[in-house]
Amino acid sequence: MSTLGNIGAAPAHVLSALRLGRIERYVLLQLGKSLAVALGVISALVMLIDFVEISRGLGSDTDLSGVRILGLMLIKSPAVIVQLLPFVFLFGTLAAFVGLNRRSELIAMRAAGVSAWRFVLPAAGAALAAGVLTVTVIGPLAASGDGMFQRERGRISGAVGGGEQEAIWLREGEGQRQMVVRAARQDRANARLLDVTFFIYATDPEGRRAFTERIDAASASLSAGRWRLVDAVGAQTGQRATRYSTLDLPSSLADDEAFERFARPQSTPFWSLPGQIQRIEAAGFSSTAYRLRLQQLLSTPLAFAAMTILAAAFSLRLMRLGDLARMAVAAVVLGFAFFFLNQFSAAMGSAEVVPPFIAAWLPAVLTALAAFTLLFYTEDG
C-alpha cells in the first residue's frame, strides 16, 4: 500500500522538479560536465576512425592532402556522432552520478530527505530538450554534411576511376499516360542524360496500367516542357522497332528535375523528409526507409530521456551496494543491448515486417518503460 502511495505521489515530485532549486541546478551542472566529456571522447573516436577510413579509401585512390582528408572527415563525422548520442547520455549520466556518489553528495541529499525524482527528472527533462534540439537543428546540419560527403566522394571516385554513377529514376505523367525514365549517366555540363530508357504506360478509366511502349535513346535533354531524344529506338507492344534521329516527348517536369536523384535517408534533413516522402511516392517508389527515418528522428528525444533515467536509476541502485565493477559492466551491456534492439527493429522496419512507426518507436518506448520500472523499484522499493 505504501508503494502505491509513493507511486501516486510521483506527479508531485514531477511538479517540484519543474521548479529548479540549488540542488537541481548543481546536479544539472555536474551532468553537463560529464556529458561534455563523454561527447568529446566519442567524437574523438569517431573522427579518428573516419580519418583512417577516408585515408585508406579515397586517399589510396587519389592524391588527397591531409587538409582535404580532414575536411571530408569534418563533414562526415557529425552524422555518425548524432547516431551515437544515446551512448553519450548513457555513459555521461552514469559518470555524473558515480562522481556524486563517490563524493558522498547524493548520500547527503538523500539523508536530508531529497527524493531521487527531484534530481533525476530535471536531468531527463534536459535530455528531452537536447533531443528536440538535435532533431530540429543539429541533425539537419549533420545530414546536410553527410550529403555533401556522399556527393564529394562520388565526384572523387568518378574522377579517379572513370567511375560508375548511380542511375537516375524519374516518373511523370498525368491522366491516361504515365512515363518512367531511367538514365544510366548524366552530363551536367551539357544538361543531358545519357543512355536513357523511357517506359510508357497507358491508364484505363478504372486506374489499371498497361505497358505500351519502350524508347531507348543515346541522350535526352529536358527543356520547355519536352524531352528531346537523340539517336532513339522505340517499339510499341507487338510492333517492330522504329529508329529516330531526334524525337520529342511531352513532359511535366521542371528542367532541373532531370538531374535529381533521391538522397539516402541518412542524408535527408529532418525538415525535408516529409516532402521527400511525397516525391518518392509520387514517383512510384517505396518510401519505407524514409518513413522509418522520420519516425526514428521523432522518437529521439524520448530515447535520450529514457537512457538518462535508466542510467541514473541503475547507478543509484548499484552504488548502494558499492559494486563499481558490476555497474560499469552492466552499463556497457545495457548500451549494446539498446543498440542491438535499435538496429534489429530498424532492419525489421526496412524489410516491412513491421510498420515503420512501430519499428522506430519500440526501442525508445521499451527503454523508457524499463527506466521508470527500475527507478520506481530503486526509489520506492
Side-chain angles (χ1 to χ4, degrees):
M1 185 68 180
S2 61
T3 301
L4 293 176
N6 289 333
I7 294 176
H13 294 310
V14 175
L15 294 177
S16 63
L18 295 177
R19 298 188 295 270
L20 297 181
R22 182 174 299 178
I23 292 177
E24 292 85 349
R25 291 196 298 269
Y26 177 76
V27 172
L28 287 178
L29 177 62
Q30 300 304 313
L31 178 63
K33 293 179 180 179
S34 296
L35 290 176
V37 173
L39 178 61
V41 171
I42 290 179
S43 299
L45 290 175
V46 170
M47 289 189 290
L48 177 61
I49 294 173
D50 283 343
F51 186 88
V52 174
E53 179 184 353
I54 295 172
S55 300
R56 297 180 61 180
L58 296 178
S60 62
D61 295 333
T62 184
D63 186 16
L64 293 179
S65 64
V67 176
R68 183 73 179 279
I69 296 176
L70 181 63
L72 292 173
M73 178 205 69
L74 291 177
I75 63 175
K76 178 182 183 295
S77 296
V80 181
I81 295 172
V82 167
Q83 293 181 359
L84 297 179
L85 282 180
F87 290 95
V88 172
F89 282 92
L90 174 66
F91 296 118
T93 303
L94 280 170
F97 283 95
V98 166
L100 291 173
N101 271 285
R102 295 181 67 175
R103 295 191 298 268
S104 300
E105 292 172 330
L106 282 186
I107 298 176
M109 294 178 193
R110 298 175 69 80
V114 178
S115 171
W117 293 96
R118 185 172 171 182
F119 45 81
V120 171
L121 288 182
L128 191 70
V132 174
L133 180 66
T134 299
V135 172
T136 58
V137 179
I138 301 176
L141 294 176
S144 298
D146 182 74
M148 292 174 57
F149 172 78
Q150 298 298 329
R151 291 190 296 270
E152 188 67 14
R153 182 178 66 175
R155 191 188 67 80
I156 294 174
S157 300
V160 173
E164 293 186 6
Q165 300 183 20
E166 183 180 354
I168 296 176
W169 287 87
L170 301 170
R171 179 176 174 175
E172 63 166 308
E174 52 189 33
Q176 298 181 349
R177 189 171 183 271
Q178 298 286 330
M179 190 163 56
V180 176
V181 184
R182 181 192 183 277
R185 295 175 294 123
Q186 58 174 300
D187 179 10
R188 276 191 172 272
N190 297 307
R192 297 184 305 167
L193 299 179
L194 306 177
D195 297 332
V196 190
T197 301
F198 290 77
F199 302 93
I200 302 175
Y201 298 82
T203 306
D204 61 22
E206 297 181 359
R208 293 175 298 187
R209 293 191 181 94
F211 175 75
T212 60
E213 186 178 4
R214 169 174 173 166
I215 303 175
D216 296 286
S219 67
S221 58
L222 181 62
S223 177
R226 66 174 184 175
W227 288 101
R228 170 60 62 90
L229 280 60
V230 177
D231 193 12
V233 177
Q236 296 183 355
T237 304
Q239 298 184 12
R240 299 182 61 180
T242 303
R243 182 172 295 275
Y244 307 92
S245 58
T246 61
L247 177 65
D248 290 341
L249 296 176
S251 174
S252 59
L253 296 177
D255 293 355
D256 57 351
E257 290 182 311
F259 295 95
E260 291 187 1
R261 64 166 58 96
F262 300 126
R264 63 181 192 147
Q266 292 78 7
S267 301
T268 306
F270 171 74
W271 301 108
S272 301
L273 276 171
Q276 184 79 313
I277 291 172
Q278 292 180 357
R279 290 181 57 244
I280 291 173
E281 292 179 345
F285 301 112
S286 173
S287 63
T288 299
Y290 297 85
R291 289 187 176 275
L292 177 63
R293 176 62 176 170
L294 177 61
Q295 295 299 326
Q296 285 178 329
L297 291 176
L298 292 175
S299 66
T300 296
L302 177 61
F304 286 4
M307 295 295 277
T308 300
I309 297 175
L310 192 59
F314 203 54
S315 64
L316 285 174
R317 178 171 176 77
L318 290 178
M319 283 307 298
R320 288 177 175 178
L321 303 177
D323 196 343
L324 292 176
R326 287 178 56 188
M327 183 198 69
V329 173
V332 174
V333 172
L334 182 65
F336 280 104
F338 172 81
F339 180 79
F340 172 78
L341 177 61
N342 191 42
Q343 294 299 313
F344 176 77
S345 182
M348 297 291 284
S350 298
E352 300 185 358
V353 177
V354 296
F357 178 84
I358 296 178
W361 284 89
L362 183 62
V365 171
L366 289 180
T367 305
L369 291 176
F372 278 106
T373 300
L374 182 58
L375 187 57
F376 276 125
Y377 181 72
T378 301
E379 178 64 11
D380 300 322

